Structure formats: structure tokens, C-alpha cells
Amino acid sequence: MMKQIFRNNQAVFGAGIILLLILVAVFAPKIAKYDPAFINIQSALLGPSLEHPLGTDSLGRDLFSRMIYASRIALLIGFIAMGLALGVGVIFGSLAGYFGGKTDSIIMRFADIMLCFPRFFLILAVIAVVGPNIFNVMVIIGLTGWMGMARLIRAEILSLKTRDYVSASRALGASHFFIITKHLIPNGIGPVLVSFVFGVAGAILTEAALSFLGLGVQPPNPSWGNILMEGKAVLGVGWWVIIFPGLAILITVLAFNLLGEGLRDALNPRVER
Amino acid sequence: MLLTVKNLKIHFRHDGEIVEAVRGIDFAINENEVVGLVGESGSGKTVSALSITKLLPKGDSVVTGEVMFGGKNLLDANEEEIRRVRGSKIAMIFQEPSTSLNPVLKIGEQIDEAILAHRKISKKNARKNTIELLGKVNLNDPERICASYPHLLSGGERQRAMIAMAISLEPELLIADEPTTALDVTIQSEILKLLLELKKELRMSVIFITHDFGIINKIAERVLVMKNGKIIEEGKKEDILSFPKAEYTKKLLLAVPKITIKPETREENPAKMGRVLIEAKNLNKAFAIEKGLLRNTGEKIRAVVNVNLKIEEGKTVGLVGESGSGKTTLARLLLGLIQPDSGKVTIPRRVAQIVFQDPYSSLDPRMRMRDIVLEGPTIRGASKAEKVSILKDVLSKTQLDYEERMKYPHQFSGGQRQRIAIARALAVNPKILILDEPVSSLDVLIQSDILKLLKDLQKTLSLTYVFISHDLRVVEYMADEVAVMYKGEIVELASRDRIYTSAQHPYTRRLLSSVL
């Protein structure tokens, strides 16, 4: 499978950008020249220059440094929120698929109910109650994003559980837990991982939107979304404050989507290469 | 000469490598003759046949050589010319009738379409023609079949419909690629008879691809034996079957299971009743039929009906029957994988293991061979040292290479995979092995290896076998006692020699008479 992914140019391109982003996020303090929260009113709203590659914002903070620190938040929220969704989705989905009957009905009807609420407004409402901070945003994005993954793994397990190797395992005396974790999930996880990668892109967008509305990452912590929000106020005089975070979001989401599509093609034997 | 093939070579591109599947074969087919093309899987017999009408996927294969048919080299023909030959001059039937028929079109529509594609006649006449054809292939009630979707027909009916479609334009050559392999034995022999009749009536030639010398004996006039992309022997059927020249043909013929018991050689074992290990009493199991949106239709299929069975220690009971007769359900009941609706199975706990038919689906593709074999001991909490010794032990018993323990299932051949499945079962020291068609999907040479291995294992480990099979020849080789299942019931249960020499039940007799 790895071979097929590497043969897919767009997947390699996406993975390359993601790797670069991760390196930037990890080594943020080394790359950034300034403290992202350091305010210097005298150098407010300077255009891109050698001193400030991406210019400064209305409070004179170096935009390049802020963008770099914001990438940490974007990736953190993307991966942790979706990791949570993956965990919940895989547990619920595999229980529903494996046990069937009442367990299946209860879990999947619960998932259907969750899917009835428009996701973004549900997130907004919950944030309004529990208060906006990074941790809450992650948990809420995660807890509202597991349903699709649960459906995917359930469908996989429904067909996998009748395979002969599962019967053989039962004949050997394996417990339900053993069969689910050793046979069913490893064989059925493929499509879920694809959905995970797309989900990360979605989570980064959601975080940006929340922060833009002021309900996500709170200032002075930088996030692409709240840099955008601050940029909106100075749009007429400092185009760079809004263009660069916008581009960052675009490129990141694109990279995850490319990787996701590459993964999907690699997992699907019917796609012609 | 109807068809002459000269120096046919086929190359495939596979994962960047070029593989030579067929390495320069020559053969000819005369008018009105049946030629059997025999070989194991991977010998190149199917791709050779497909290449005759250019049916191989274009991008991945390169075909060179010459296929002369009707004064033309078909390999040089363009798409339009080849299309005119396909169906009308050369027709094909395949192994799996359920996948070669379109599930959303009625049988009649599909055959009409085949006729209308090549002949300029009215739809009404085409339909008349279709109904006539369906009658010709001995289908009862052709009108009903015409108006049915493929899934409503049985496997045998579907294959007959496929044959009707293939002969609809009275082809000069029919290529039949294992057309009976997926069918039950009684239906298989009927289909073979039908093909022979049609050949005579329509004066067509048939290339019959098979791995089964029993079928060759019944249907072919001439035989081509293929191995590794080459024709290694060619001749009249009688010569090949009685005086094979090539070593490989001899080996193949020897490996063909045959029923050898003759009435006079019958040796009745003194009836010393051993310890009964498995006992089934009045077993019943029914499955609900789920259909469409409303799911439960209230109808039930009775898969196992009032089954009583006693199996003695160290013996092999052969469980024979056609598909749908309830053999596999009974096996699962004996193992306790499913619970009976009524009745009782008495079996010592944790001593029965199972080996399945399809070694491709019975091994977890994401586990290493070592982990597959050691699954039982792992579940039972064996220590690391214990596991290593168990692994070495069972691998040597099943003649597998310890050095290959880190490989994944797809890196093994079919026979090796079946050995892995047996090793996995043996790793927990079972007393009973339930063998559910363990050799049906293997080539004959490997089939005989595995059967021999199973016999040896039974002797050295004093195992008790429940041997499920549709192949009476194999059961005769393995079993001490035979139970014949029909529609969920055991209709006859007797010692092997009894069954094969003086079967009582009419169904058993029918089964036996269908054996090739």
C-alpha cells in the first residue's frame, strides 16, 4: 500500500506540505524571529519587508512569527480533534457492527440524531455555554465529528465479521475483544483513515471559522482564524494581514485533501492508476 | 482446420515487471471436435483462450503470434472485425454464470440483445428465437425463464441460460472456460451431456478448459496439456489418459482422485465401537429469509433438519451433499459457532478446530504467518518460549518452512496457505478437526498432497475428522463412514464401503452415478 501512495503524485505533494508544516510547527521558536505576542505600536501595519517578511499587524506584531505559531494551533486542533473523533467513531462503529441487533440500533440511532443537528451551529452553541478556549474547541470538534467514521467502520465490520478467519478465531476460543481488535479493526480501518485525513482538513477550517468569529482561540494566542479577524478591521490599509493567513488555511486544507484522495485511491483496487 | 494458433505468446505487465504467461504455443482445432485444454491454475490456459478473441485487457498485456480463423489473423483484426467474430462465430461461456449475466436485466432481454446485436430481425422474432433456444438447452418453462432475473434462477439454470446465449448465433467455435466447476456434481454431468448434444446438433467445435481429467474423459476427443505457459503434451484423449508421455501428465493423472472400491474388494471392518467423541441429537437449525426493505418475511429456510450423528474417536466421517444441503451449517453447529434451534451437540470443550475451503479468506491478510499459526496459543496465554516451540512443532508437522514465519498470507501459494490453516488448527492440540471442503479450491497435485498430509496427521496425532466435501472421490479416499445430506437431512449414513457399493437412498445413487 505504501508503494501505491508513493506512486501517487498528488498524495506525495500533499504529504510533503503536511510534513513541512509539522516541521515548522515543531521548530516554531527557532524559525520565528520575534515573540508573536510582542507589541510595538511604532511599527504597526508595516508592509512585507526583509525585517518583517509578511509585514506587521495593527499592534505592530510580526505577522510571520504569529503565522508560524498559529500553525501549531491549527495542526494540534486538526489532529487531536480528529484523533478523538477517530477513537469514538471506531469504538462505537465496531461495537455496532460486531454485535448488531439492539446494540447496533441504539448506537446508530444516536449517531443519526447527532447528524440531525447542523454541525457548526451545534459547535457554536456548545462553545457559547462552556466558553471558548483551545481545549474546548478540540473536544467539541472531535465529539461532533465521529459519526461518519462510525458508519464507515461499521459497514466494513459487517462484511468482515463473516470471514472465515473470524470463524476460525472464534473456534480457537478468542474473545470478542480479541476478534475486534486483532482481526476486524486492522482490516477495516482503511476507509476510516481516509476519512480521518479529510476530517483533519475540516477541523482546521472549523477552528479557523470559530476563531474568526471570536469563539475559538482567544487573543493574544495567534491562530489563523483570529489573525484574519483582526485583519478584517484594517483591510483597507494592510492587505497582507488578511491575505497570508487565508493562503495558509487554503494550502493546508488542500494538502490534507490531496493526501486523503491519494490514500483513497491507494486503498481502492478498482481505481486505474 | 477451423482455428490455427501459431507461436502465441502473451506477456503481462504486473507491478512494473513483465511476466511471460504464455510462451509460444501452437495448436489447431478441427471442425466439429471437442478439444480439452487441461492445466493447473496459472498454466496459461484461460489467457490463451481469451486472447483468441482479443478479450485480454489492452493496456496490461501484449499478445504476439498468429491466430488464424476463417482465413484471417484475428490478432491483426480491428475492433469492428473482432466484434463481428465474437458471439457470432466464436462464443464463450465462463465458470461463474452469476457474474457473467447482468443482474438488472431479465434473461430474455439479455439473449434478445445478443441476437439483435448481430442479426437484423425484429424484436418479436428475436424473442421467439430466444424461447426456442432456452428450450434447446433443456430448461423447463422457457417463458418463465425469459421473464426472470438471473438471481431467481439456480446455478444450473443460469449456466444453461448462458449456454443458450452462447449458441444463439450458432457459432462455429465455443470456448468453455471451466463452465461446470462452480456447479454441483449432478448438475455438472447434465451440463456436460447438454454440451455434447449441442455440439452434434450445431456441428460446432468446442475448446473445453478444465483442470479435471474426469471431465476430459467424458467430453473431449483431443487433449492439450498446458504447464507454465507451454503445451507439453498433445494427443487423442484415449492415448493421453492411458499412455501419457510427459512426466507432468503422468503426475497429474495419478493425482486425480478415483473411486477404487469394487464390490469384491470390500473389507468390512469388524464392528468394534470406539469411544464416541461427538454426538448430535435431533439437531435443527433454520434461518430467516431477509428480503427487501421490510426485512423479515417470516419465511424460513430449514438448513439442518433432525440430524443425528455419532462420531467415534480416531475415525473420519465424510459429510457429502450438494451446495445448500446444510453441510456447512452442520459443521458450525458441531463447533458451537452457532446455536441450534433445538437438539443438542455433545462435544468435549475446546477440542474441535476447523479448516475452511478457501485458504484466501480463512487467513487474516494483515497478520504474519507466525501470528496466524500462534493465534490459538496467544489467546490461551502461552509464554514466549512455549510459542516458539509450538510454532516449530506444528510447522514441521505441516511441512512448512520456519524461515518463512514472518511472511504475510499473500506471499504463500494456495497449498501453503491451506497448510498454514491446518497448522493454526493444530497449534492448540485439537482432538477433532472439522474440514470444510479443505481441498476443493486447490489444484489436483496440491489436493493430493494435502489429503496425504491430513491422513498422516490423523495417524500420528490420532485425530478425529469430520470431512465435508461435495466430491465423492475425495471422500472415498478419506472417510471411514459417510453421511449423505440432502435438503438439511442426513438421508443415508453408513460405512464407506457400504455407501460406495450398495447405496440405499435414491439420492445417494444419483450422486454416485454423476461422479466422473
Side-chain angles (χ1 to χ4, degrees):
Chain A
M1 198 188 91
M2 280 318 233
K3 239 200 240 166
Q4 282 161 4
I5 295 173
F6 281 117
R7 231 184 265 162
N8 186 322
N9 287 333
Q10 55 173 8
V12 172
F13 182 69
I17 291 179
I18 292 167
L19 200 70
L20 195 71
L21 272 168
I22 291 174
L23 287 176
V24 166
V26 170
F27 296 108
K30 294 244 157 58
I31 301 169
K33 258 159 83 184
Y34 301 91
D35 179 348
F38 177 71
I39 297 176
N40 181 358
I41 298 293
Q42 271 151 10
S43 57
L45 284 176
L46 296 176
S49 64
L50 279 178
E51 192 62 20
H52 300 286
L54 302 183
T56 60
D57 67 6
S58 55
L59 294 175
R61 293 176 294 196
D62 178 47
L63 201 56
F64 183 63
S65 308
R66 285 182 70 72
M67 294 274 300
I68 283 171
Y69 275 92
S71 70
R72 288 185 148 184
I73 305 244
L75 291 180
L76 202 67
I77 289 185
F79 279 108
I80 293 188
M82 275 345 253
L84 183 67
L86 181 79
V88 175
V90 164
I91 292 171
F92 277 174
S94 47
L95 290 178
Y98 184 75
F99 289 106
K102 278 224 175 72
T103 320
D104 185 24
S105 299
I106 293 170
I107 292 175
M108 294 325 286
R109 289 307 78 74
F110 178 52
D112 291 344
I113 292 169
M114 292 283 294
L115 281 167
C116 287
F117 297 103
R119 186 173 173 202
F120 196 72
F121 291 101
L122 181 66
I123 294 174
L124 280 182
V126 178
I127 291 280
V129 175
V130 298
N133 63 49
I134 296 176
F135 179 78
N136 285 350
V137 168
M138 279 190 308
V139 171
I140 291 158
I141 292 178
L143 289 183
T144 52
W146 58 271
M147 292 82 73
M149 299 198 200
R151 283 183 164 180
L152 283 173
I153 191 107
R154 171 181 173 272
E156 287 291 312
I157 283 182
L158 278 181
S159 83
L160 287 172
K161 72 175 178 181
T162 57
R163 295 281 161 93
D164 286 342
Y165 57 80
V166 175
S167 296
S169 190
R170 286 178 61 201
L172 288 165
S175 62
H176 297 314
F177 181 75
F178 184 92
I179 289 174
I180 292 175
T181 55
K182 289 282 190 287
H183 291 303
L184 298 178
I185 291 178
N187 281 292
I189 200 75
V192 187
L193 289 182
V194 174
S195 151
F196 171 80
V197 174
F198 285 125
V200 172
I204 290 173
L205 271 181
T206 308
E207 179 272 322
L210 282 174
S211 299
F212 182 77
L213 294 175
L215 289 166
V217 177
Q218 295 301 303
N221 288 327
S223 125
W224 292 336
N226 67 24
I227 297 174
L228 267 180
M229 174 182 66
E230 291 160 11
K232 197 181 64 172
V234 293
L235 187 58
V237 275
W239 54 268
W240 53 89
V241 188
I242 209 158
I243 289 293
F244 291 117
L247 271 178
I249 295 170
L250 176 83
I251 291 170
T252 311
V253 169
L254 187 68
F256 276 102
N257 282 337
L258 287 177
L259 177 67
E261 271 179 41
L263 259 181
R264 185 170 58 196
D265 292 352
L267 287 168
N268 184 352
R270 271 168 299 187
V271 173
E272 291 279 330
R273 286 184 297 278
Chain B
M1 251 352 117
L2 180 67
L3 173 85
T4 341
V5 172
K6 269 193 196 137
N7 199 23
L8 180 72
K9 285 184 183 165
I10 303 172
H11 295 263
F12 279 104
R13 207 170 300 134
H14 183 73
D15 264 340
E17 282 171 59
I18 305 259
V19 182
E20 194 171 23
V22 175
R23 310 196 235 174
I25 58 170
D26 304 275
F27 65 89
I29 309 287
N30 294 317
E31 277 94 14
N32 196 24
E33 76 167 343
V34 181
V35 175
L37 188 54
V38 208
E40 296 186 273
S41 48
S43 61
K45 52 191 195 313
T46 296
V47 285
S48 304
L50 286 176
S51 71
I52 290 174
T53 51
K54 289 180 98 169
L55 278 175
L56 290 176
K58 249 192 204 146
D60 301 330
S61 62
V62 182
V63 182
T64 58
E66 203 182 273
V67 176
M68 293 302 288
F69 180 82
K72 251 202 184 129
N73 184 356
L74 293 185
L75 294 183
D76 291 339
N78 64 30
E79 204 41 48
E80 180 54 32
E81 287 167 327
I82 202 83
R83 201 184 63 78
R84 253 181 276 138
V85 171
R86 273 183 213 151
S88 67
K89 299 268 174 61
I90 303 178
M92 294 196 73
I93 47 177
F94 300 97
Q95 172 169 351
E96 195 49 74
S98 52
T99 54
S100 13
L101 288 167
N102 185 342
V104 297
L105 286 180
K106 290 174 184 162
I107 298 285
E109 292 169 12
Q110 300 191 44
I111 301 179
D112 291 351
E113 193 190 346
I115 298 173
L116 289 171
H118 291 277
R119 275 193 198 156
K120 287 195 180 95
I121 53 172
S122 69
K123 272 196 170 171
K124 224 169 133 195
N125 282 334
R127 174 51 57 97
K128 239 173 73 192
N129 213 330
T130 298
I131 291 179
E132 216 170 277
L133 281 165
L134 290 171
K136 218 178 222 169
V137 294
N138 299 336
L139 277 166
N140 294 326
D141 201 355
E143 271 93 9
R144 176 185 65 86
I145 303 275
C146 244
S148 304
Y149 288 100
H151 72 269
L152 294 170
L153 307 183
S154 72
E157 284 175 325
R158 275 197 290 254
Q159 197 57 288
R160 279 172 202 270
M162 269 307 295
I163 293 172
M165 195 190 304
I167 61 165
S168 60
L169 295 151
E170 304 192 351
E172 295 163 39
L173 177 66
L174 176 68
I175 299 172
D177 188 1
E178 306 244 10
T180 59
T181 310
L183 302 174
D184 286 323
V185 278
T186 49
I187 296 158
Q188 166 173 304
S189 67
E190 285 167 21
I191 295 275
L192 293 179
K193 223 174 91 201
L194 171 71
L195 280 174
L196 280 179
E197 283 166 16
L198 289 172
K199 175 230 160 195
K200 224 179 264 165
E201 195 186 323
L202 303 173
R203 298 194 51 78
M204 61 179 179
S205 298
V206 180
I207 299 179
F208 200 103
I209 302 169
T210 181
H211 62 275
D212 188 335
F213 271 105
I215 292 177
I216 290 294
N217 187 23
K218 183 125 182 183
I219 196 168
E221 292 155 41
R222 228 147 42 81
V223 182
L224 309 169
V225 184
M226 275 192 86
K227 185 196 179 189
N228 293 336
K230 282 197 164 154
I231 292 183
I232 55 157
E233 189 160 6
E234 179 179 356
K236 279 208 181 108
K237 171 184 74 182
E238 291 78 14
D239 297 343
I240 298 254
L241 289 185
S242 327
F243 313 105
K245 289 193 201 80
E247 256 336 286
Y248 178 71
T249 317
K250 284 183 200 164
K251 242 171 60 190
L252 270 185
L253 279 166
L254 274 178
V256 174
K258 283 188 200 76
I259 291 181
T260 50
I261 298 179
K262 307 253 157 49
E264 58 272 18
T265 64
R266 184 189 338 171
E267 46 170 312
E268 208 50 68
N269 283 357
K272 75 167 185 273
M273 193 73 176
R275 192 162 74 92
V276 173
L277 205 57
I278 310 176
E279 191 173 358
K281 259 191 195 156
N282 296 322
L283 276 188
N284 279 290
K285 180 77 189 175
F287 294 106
I289 305 173
E290 289 187 352
K291 245 190 234 160
L293 280 174
L294 294 172
R295 292 271 180 88
N296 203 336
T297 53
E299 285 174 66
K300 285 190 165 185
I301 293 179
R302 300 175 78 194
V304 167
V305 182
N306 283 328
V307 164
N308 287 294
L309 192 65
K310 275 184 192 170
I311 298 172
E312 291 168 43
E313 198 167 0
K315 286 280 167 63
T316 301
V317 172
L319 209 51
V320 188
E322 304 193 337
S323 50
S325 62
K327 299 171 302 207
T328 298
T329 308
L330 179 57
R332 284 168 188 262
L333 284 170
L334 292 178
L335 261 176
L337 288 177
I338 48 178
Q339 295 306 314
D341 296 336
S342 68
K344 205 179 145 206
V345 178
T346 319
I347 187 167
R349 259 175 65 76
R350 280 190 157 189
V351 297
Q353 286 306 320
I354 186 159
V355 175
F356 293 98
Q357 167 176 1
D358 182 4
Y360 289 83
S361 73
S362 69
L363 305 179
D364 188 333
R366 298 209 184 267
M367 279 168 86
R368 294 178 192 280
M369 184 260 251
R370 175 194 64 185
D371 299 323
I372 292 171
V373 172
L374 289 175
E375 186 170 344
T378 306
I379 291 165
R380 290 167 196 205
S383 72
K384 238 184 174 170
E386 279 174 313
K387 282 193 199 168
V388 173
S389 77
I390 292 173
L391 185 64
K392 281 186 175 156
D393 178 51
V394 292
L395 290 189
S396 77
K397 274 179 190 154
T398 47
Q399 294 150 27
L400 284 163
D401 192 352
Y402 182 72
E403 296 303 315
E404 293 185 309
R405 65 190 183 282
M406 298 311 272
K407 286 191 183 172
Y408 286 97
H410 71 265
Q411 295 169 293
F412 292 94
S413 69
Q416 283 174 316
R417 284 157 170 258
Q418 201 57 297
R419 285 171 197 273
I420 295 172
I422 295 168
R424 168 177 62 191
L426 291 180
V428 291
N429 273 323
K431 282 210 171 88
I432 304 159
L433 279 191
I434 293 180
L435 305 158
D436 190 356
E437 304 258 13
V439 295
S440 312
S441 55
L442 302 174
D443 281 324
V444 292
L445 286 178
I446 298 157
Q447 190 171 341
S448 68
D449 284 350
I450 297 282
L451 289 175
K452 208 171 148 297
L453 173 73
L454 286 171
K455 273 217 146 171
D456 292 346
L457 287 172
Q458 181 168 38
K459 230 181 263 166
T460 51
L461 304 173
S462 56
L463 292 166
T464 306
Y465 286 162
V466 178
F467 191 93
I468 300 171
S469 180
H470 67 278
D471 190 338
L472 285 154
R473 300 172 295 186
V474 174
V475 170
E476 192 256 359
Y477 177 74
M478 290 296 293
D480 300 303
E481 265 191 280
V482 178
V484 181
M485 283 194 85
Y486 182 60
K487 293 192 173 161
E489 281 180 271
I490 292 186
V491 292
E492 189 158 7
L493 171 62
S495 75
R496 173 189 64 176
D497 300 359
R498 247 277 184 34
I499 291 270
Y500 284 89
T501 54
S502 53
Q504 299 299 309
H505 197 275
Y507 178 71
T508 315
R509 285 195 216 142
R510 216 173 87 211
L511 267 185
L512 280 165
S513 68
S514 313
V515 172
L516 300 166

